[in-house]
Amino acid sequence: MDSTEHVLNRLTAVLEQRKEADPNSSYVASLYRDGIDRIRKKIGEEATEVVIAVGNTDRDAIVGEMADLWFHCLVALVHRGIDPALVLAELDRRFGRSGIEEKAVRR
Amino acid sequence: MDSTEHVLNRLTAVLEQRKEADPNSSYVASLYRDGIDRIRKKIGEEATEVVIAVGNTDRDAIVGEMADLWFHCLVALVHRGIDPALVLAELDRRFGRSGIEEKAVRR
Amino acid sequence: MDSTEHVLNRLTAVLEQRKEADPNSSYVASLYRDGIDRIRKKIGEEATEVVIAVGNTDRDAIVGEMADLWFHCLVALVHRGIDPALVLAELDRRFGRSGIEEKAVRR
Amino acid sequence: MDSTEHVLNRLTAVLEQRKEADPNSSYVASLYRDGIDRIRKKIGEEATEVVIAVGNTDRDAIVGEMADLWFHCLVALVHRGIDPALVLAELDRRFGRSGIEEKAVRR
């Protein structure tokens, strides 16, 4: 699924461009302008909606809320100047490549 | 960044395989066994840690907590029988491809 | 501090009365009408704001966000037909009366 | 319900005393020692458990999770040197006394 594999890169590029956009016409630019606490609140809100949606079996709702959460996570990363690819690389390092580093994520 | 682009697919495959693993030796298998409420609690916990980390500027902490959150989101999706690629496709549909559907994620 | 000690009882009575109020003129009545998932989302939102506020030292902000969180907790309890005094009684049972049952709240 | 009305005052006094307790034998003292970020994480965890419990109708579970959340809120307040009675006073100011200041809590 080629388009999927490149989604994160495309999204990151768009989120970078939004740093130059007008907060009155761009939701992302308005988040950047409002600052990190507004973005943190959105992450908390969307995480709660994911917790609620995942408790039910409506697949579209789960996918939709998860997309909202990941989106605001990406906004936070770009706002902090962090390439989201680093998060995937960390996931890969801990888990994906070997499948044996599972404990690294255990709490 | 080839390895990064394929990370989600690899992680999804590993998480699928864990459905057959021994909960005593696999953290993911223990989450599946404990059930969806345990996974939801982990998402809430990790989201809180992201909210805290994003409030500071320690990049490694932000990347690490974000990886933990995304990891448990992936576990929830696979547990619900939902391909995580669907979430990326939804993000792409709303935002990445055109860059003009931004309002779709606004709350 | 007489007024403080009776606040919970007064609040509970008001929240009960709101079950008969017009959702168009009462915020609480609109929460009841929208249902438990709307109230759950508010609890998640306000908890995130508490987590953020408590990370700083602005006392008014901490008190204000804590009040918002407790308020929506009370709304949830009354919506579920549970007297908030039961929560205080549970806190007292576990902790306050003896001071030695502290482990009961440990996770 | 006399004992209930005084619960918060008693709990606050106990939580104050715990500032002198040994973190190895007191859970609350261990939270103080670990610091505000540990307490914030507990608030996030317990809030998630409230969100989950409130989605079901098990009254004991709702009361128990709510008690856990309020307990860690009290710990945060005392750790920050804030009398929990101030939160009740704020609730009373906004809502309880008049019942007409409801909008003050609206978001």
Side-chain angles (χ1 to χ4, degrees), chain A residues 18 27 68 94 99 102 107, chain B residues 18 27 68 99 102 107:
Chain A
R18 286 298 187 276
Y27 171 62
D68 281 337
R94 292 188 192 177
E102 206 177 307
R107 288 303 159 104
Chain B
R18 287 297 187 276
Y27 170 61
D68 281 338
E102 206 178 306
R107 287 304 162 104

Side-chain angles (χ1 to χ4, degrees), chain D residues 31-43:
Chain D
L31 291 176
Y32 294 146
R33 177 203 57 203
D34 293 347
I36 197 65
D37 278 0
R38 170 126 163 74
I39 300 170
R40 296 164 83 196
K41 288 176 191 177
K42 289 302 301 180
I43 291 175

Side-chain angles (χ1 to χ4, degrees), chain D residues 65-78:
Chain D
E65 299 299 354
M66 207 65 93
D68 282 337
L69 175 59
W70 294 8
F71 178 80
H72 288 90
C73 286
L74 295 174
V75 171
L77 290 166
V78 172

Side-chain angles (χ1 to χ4, degrees), chain C residues 18 27 68 94 99 102 107, chain D residues 18 27 68 99 102 107:
Chain C
R18 287 297 187 276
Y27 170 61
D68 281 337
R94 292 188 193 178
E102 204 178 308
R107 289 304 162 102
Chain D
R18 287 298 187 277
Y27 170 62
D68 282 337
E102 204 176 308
R107 289 305 163 105

Side-chain angles (χ1 to χ4, degrees), chain A residues 47-59 61-63 65-66, chain B residues 40 80, chain C residues 37 40:
Chain A
T48 302
E49 300 197 19
V50 163
V51 167
I52 293 172
V54 165
N56 301 313
T57 55
D58 179 334
R59 298 162 62 88
I62 293 172
V63 168
E65 299 299 353
M66 207 65 93
Chain B
R40 295 163 84 195
R80 281 297 190 209
Chain C
D37 279 359
R40 297 163 84 196

